[in-house]
Amino acid sequence: RKLLVRFFRKVKVHIVIKSIPRHYREEELRKLREETNVETIKQELERERSRRLDLEQKMSDVLKTRCEDSPPQPSRKQQPPAANGTDKQQKETVCSRLQSWLYDRFGVYIEDFRFQPEENTVEAEEPLSAKRLTENMRRLKRGARPVTNFLRNLSALSNWHSVYTSAIAFIIYMNAAWHGWAIPLFLFLAILRLSLNYLIARGWRIQWSIVPEVSEPVEPPKEDLTVSEKFQLVLDVAQKAQNLFGKMADVLEKIKNLFMWVQPEITQKLYIALWVAFIFSCVLPYKLMGFMIGLYAGIKFFIIDFLFKSCPKLRDKYDTPYIMWNSLPTDPQLKERSNATVSRRLSGCEKIQPVVSRSSLATIPAGVTREEESGRSHSTKKGAFHEIFNLPESERPLPVCENGWRCCLINRDRKMPTDYIRNGMLYVTESYLCFESSSSRSGSSKKNKVIKLVDITDIQKYKVLSVLPGSGMGISIATPSTQKPLVFGAMIHRDEAFETIFTQYMKIMTTANPET
């Protein structure tokens, strides 16, 4: 008893001590229960348990029905009739089994017809690389080689490069077209080509070509290229891509202009030909149409094209598709024609009008004499030309550089970057070389440069960066007032500017020193 009394006393003391923190603990637990929604979670767990029990019950019912179906049918007849509830359960199990069987058998095909939003994947673009660019061009060339070889062999057949081969092909084709076997012939040739390709892929050495193939030397790829070699590679690849894209653009533009009635007399011929073909296709039977088309294709390919290629004058007169294709204009040609017609109209209006306004002086035709043109004052974007450079009114840019040459002036006597390089336009007059800086505000500016042609001591073509290939894109001009020659760099029309400056310089020097 004493021990029990001591134990209860100790327990009571502990309960009293722990009573206050327990109160706080209960409040915290109550708050946590309210925040976490323990009751809702318990309800969801109960639902899941009930669903699991239902599924287990259904699985047990399915297993029972399978066990009942396993014994033979005589034993089934001896069994007592089931109640209504069991009948319903059996019907449900049969339906579920049928559904599961259908899903197992055709579910994969049904899933294929499920509508899903299309995923738009953006391909990552590779950075520009000279090595990658040249490799892609070589891949394109290798990939297009079978097509080019096929077209070259067809051209050789049409040109009768090998008389015996072309004669045999002509006889075989015309015989097949006469008997209506043209399409089976082409299909047989395709099967034969695939068979030969299979044998070649298996290691057989089979080479057959009407035109002997020219093996191009394969340059081994260099690992370490200098800056000039990389730049030259990029220039070569860019030139090839430019020419290729230009040819493709010409073809597409001609086709577009053909169907858009840009050249009505050419599109009219196509329009009439399509109507005639439509009427014949409605009247004549398809077998006769195929026979006529096959015979015409053979005669056109083997005989007419050979005559036209051998006799260019005959082709220029009677080859209607060739004449129509060459007569179709491209978009740049249409633009040039429109500009030419506008300039003709303007020149005609200027000849008719006795008084010419100042704004129309820029479009005076080339036939105007110097006396008539002396009253004209050329102007730039920032004002009159002679006011910008503080020159006499008689000094105007030459017709070659009337709009100026875009360039950058490199003054190597200056140390500051702002004074070292200036972007602007270069003009040549009768006696001066004028540079208009693009950073000059308006009117005359100290940033503009005027050089007398008489003061020039030396003029040469200049290459700003020696590592780049070619002869450069700059002109160096030495004068007594500069320690180092002035350089006009980054000129696209460098050769034209150099010839103009040098010709005018020689003209000034010969007039100044007639004895020399």
Side-chain angles (χ1 to χ4, degrees):
R1 286 180 182 176
K2 290 179 180 180
L3 290 171
L4 289 171
V5 169
R6 288 177 183 176
F7 176 75
F8 283 118
R9 284 178 181 176
K10 289 181 180 180
V11 170
K12 188 176 181 180
V13 170
H14 282 291
I15 289 170
V16 171
I17 293 169
K18 300 286 185 177
S19 61
I20 295 172
R22 177 186 286 177
H23 176 68
Y24 287 112
R25 243 183 257 141
E26 288 177 356
E27 288 184 359
E28 293 294 329
L29 286 171
R30 184 172 56 78
K31 291 179 181 178
L32 288 173
R33 285 172 183 172
E34 291 177 356
E35 291 178 356
T36 55
N37 296 325
V38 178
E39 296 298 331
T40 56
I41 295 171
K42 285 182 178 180
Q43 290 177 3
E44 290 180 359
L45 286 173
E46 291 296 332
R47 291 173 187 169
E48 293 294 332
R49 285 175 184 171
S50 61
R51 288 177 186 174
R52 184 173 61 81
L53 292 174
D54 292 338
L55 289 173
E56 289 179 355
Q57 184 67 28
K58 288 181 180 179
M59 290 294 294
S60 61
D61 293 339
V62 170
L63 292 174
K64 285 180 181 179
T65 53
R66 287 183 180 178
C67 294
E68 290 173 358
D69 293 339
S70 58
Q73 290 185 359
S75 61
R76 280 185 185 177
K77 292 179 180 178
Q78 295 175 2
Q79 291 179 358
N84 293 330
T86 57
D87 291 339
K88 291 181 180 179
Q89 290 180 358
Q90 286 183 358
K91 289 180 181 179
E92 290 178 357
T93 54
V94 170
C95 292
S96 62
R97 287 175 61 191
L98 182 62
Q99 289 178 359
S100 62
W101 180 80
L102 289 173
Y103 184 79
D104 294 338
R105 196 70 180 269
F106 303 102
V108 179
Y109 305 103
I110 295 171
E111 289 292 332
D112 293 339
F113 289 94
R114 180 177 292 178
F115 292 98
Q116 294 179 355
E118 187 178 357
E119 297 180 358
N120 295 325
T121 57
V122 180
E123 296 182 358
E125 295 183 356
E126 297 182 2
L128 182 62
S129 171
K131 185 177 179 181
R132 188 67 175 172
L133 188 61
T134 52
E135 183 183 354
N136 288 339
M137 289 298 294
R138 288 171 183 168
R139 286 173 56 199
L140 179 63
K141 192 174 181 180
R142 288 195 299 267
R145 189 173 297 167
V147 180
T148 54
N149 290 338
F150 176 72
L151 295 176
R152 189 169 54 183
N153 287 325
L154 281 181
S155 179
L157 272 177
S158 178
N159 295 335
W160 294 74
H161 182 80
S162 174
V163 179
Y164 297 106
T165 306
S166 298
I168 293 170
F170 177 69
I171 293 169
I172 293 173
Y173 175 79
M174 294 302 291
N175 188 20
W178 183 266
H179 293 88
W181 297 340
I183 295 177
L185 176 64
F186 289 128
L187 294 175
F188 175 74
L189 291 175
I191 294 169
L192 182 62
R193 181 72 257 182
L194 285 176
S195 303
L196 292 176
N197 290 342
Y198 173 76
L199 294 177
I200 292 170
R202 299 290 293 178
W204 290 44
R205 293 185 178 181
I206 300 173
Q207 292 182 356
W208 180 83
S209 177
I210 301 172
V211 182
E213 296 184 1
V214 180
S215 59
E216 298 179 357
V218 180
E219 298 180 0
K222 298 180 181 179
E223 297 295 334
D224 298 328
L225 297 175
T226 61
V227 177
S228 60
E229 289 176 345
K230 288 181 179 179
F231 190 78
Q232 189 64 39
L233 274 176
V234 173
L235 286 179
D236 294 340
V237 174
Q239 184 181 7
K240 292 178 181 177
Q242 173 188 341
N243 297 333
L244 179 62
F245 292 155
K247 292 177 181 178
M248 293 172 63
D250 289 343
V251 172
L252 294 176
E253 287 174 357
K254 285 188 174 185
I255 294 172
K256 182 212 30 160
N257 294 332
L258 174 64
F259 287 97
M260 293 304 295
W261 293 83
V262 175
Q263 204 82 2
E265 59 273 9
I266 296 176
T267 311
Q268 186 178 3
K269 295 179 182 178
L270 176 65
Y271 188 73
I272 295 171
L274 289 175
W275 270 111
V276 171
F278 172 73
I279 293 169
F280 273 105
S281 65
C282 294
V283 174
L284 298 178
Y286 287 107
K287 188 174 182 180
L288 182 59
M289 285 284 294
F291 172 73
M292 293 171 62
I293 292 171
L295 285 180
Y296 172 74
I299 295 171
K300 176 77 168 58
F301 182 79
F302 286 99
I303 297 175
I304 297 176
D305 286 349
F306 172 71
L307 292 175
F308 283 154
K309 290 178 183 178
S310 302
C311 307
K313 293 182 179 180
L314 195 67
R315 184 175 194 176
D316 294 337
K317 289 182 180 180
Y318 302 105
D319 193 357
T320 305
Y322 175 79
I323 296 169
M324 289 174 59
W325 182 256
N326 289 335
S327 301
L328 283 170
T330 58
D331 289 350
Q333 291 174 353
L334 290 173
K335 191 174 181 180
E336 289 177 1
R337 291 179 187 177
S338 62
N339 292 336
T341 53
V342 169
S343 62
R344 286 172 193 165
R345 291 174 184 174
L346 289 174
S347 61
C349 292
E350 288 168 1
K351 289 178 182 178
I352 293 169
Q353 293 177 356
V355 179
V356 182
S357 63
R358 186 172 181 177
S359 61
S360 62
L361 285 172
T363 58
I364 290 178
V368 177
T369 60
R370 188 176 299 275
E371 289 77 8
E372 295 173 349
E373 196 185 358
S374 60
R376 181 169 71 96
S377 61
H378 187 275
S379 61
T380 62
K381 294 180 180 179
K382 299 173 184 176
F385 184 82
H386 68 278
E387 294 176 358
I388 289 176
F389 298 103
N390 294 324
L391 297 175
E393 293 186 6
S394 59
E395 290 293 335
R396 294 178 302 276
L398 299 177
V400 181
C401 60
E402 194 170 5
N403 296 323
W405 294 299
R406 187 173 295 279
C407 65
C408 63
L409 172 61
I410 303 174
N411 192 351
R412 294 184 291 178
D413 291 340
R414 304 295 179 88
K415 301 299 182 184
M416 294 298 292
T418 55
D419 297 332
Y420 185 76
I421 297 177
R422 298 175 191 167
N423 295 320
M425 306 293 291
L426 184 65
Y427 301 92
V428 182
T429 67
E430 294 287 339
S431 305
Y432 295 91
L433 182 66
C434 306
F435 175 79
E436 181 185 4
S437 177
S438 58
S439 60
S440 61
R441 298 292 180 182
S442 62
S444 60
S445 175
K446 294 181 180 179
K447 294 183 179 181
N448 297 335
K449 191 75 175 176
V450 178
I451 303 171
K452 286 185 178 181
L453 294 177
V454 182
D455 295 339
I456 295 175
T457 58
D458 187 23
I459 175 172
Q460 292 181 1
K461 293 181 179 180
Y462 189 76
K463 189 176 182 180
V464 180
L465 297 175
S466 59
V467 295
L468 298 179
S471 59
M473 299 173 67
I475 300 173
S476 69
I477 294 174
T479 59
S481 61
T482 56
Q483 296 179 0
K484 296 180 180 179
L486 297 172
V487 176
F488 298 94
M491 298 183 69
I492 299 176
H493 305 285
R494 193 275 306 270
D495 295 335
E496 180 185 4
F498 179 81
E499 292 295 332
T500 305
I501 298 170
F502 187 76
T503 304
Q504 192 64 24
Y505 169 74
M506 293 302 296
K507 182 180 178 181
I508 291 292
M509 295 304 293
T510 51
T511 54
N513 300 320
E515 295 180 358
T516 58

